[in-house]
């Protein structure tokens, strides 16, 4: 459980950094949607 929280915190930080670099909100929302879909798929496979 602790490992999962660590990975989630790291990925949230990476996402926040990407949103600082990407000024286009629509592109950010598309990236968020894709990453949620990928994360759900990976979580379901575990």
């Amino acid at each position: 459980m602790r490992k999962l929280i660590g990975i989630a915190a790291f990925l949230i930080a990476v996402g926040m950094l990407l949103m600082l670099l990407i000024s286009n909100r629509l592109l950010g929302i598309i990236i968020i949607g894709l990453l949620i879909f990928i994360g759900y798929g990976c979580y379901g496979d575990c």
Side-chain angles (χ1 to χ4, degrees):
M1 186 65 166
R2 198 169 160 184
K3 191 175 189 181
L4 180 65
I5 292 171
I7 292 171
F10 176 74
L11 292 178
I12 289 169
V14 169
M16 292 175 82
L17 180 63
L18 282 175
M19 289 307 292
L20 284 174
L21 297 174
I22 298 172
S23 60
N24 188 355
R25 290 191 187 266
L26 180 63
L27 182 61
I29 291 171
I30 291 170
I31 291 171
I32 289 169
L34 287 173
L35 290 176
I36 287 173
F37 183 71
I38 291 169
Y40 180 75
C42 290
Y43 184 73
D45 289 341
C46 292

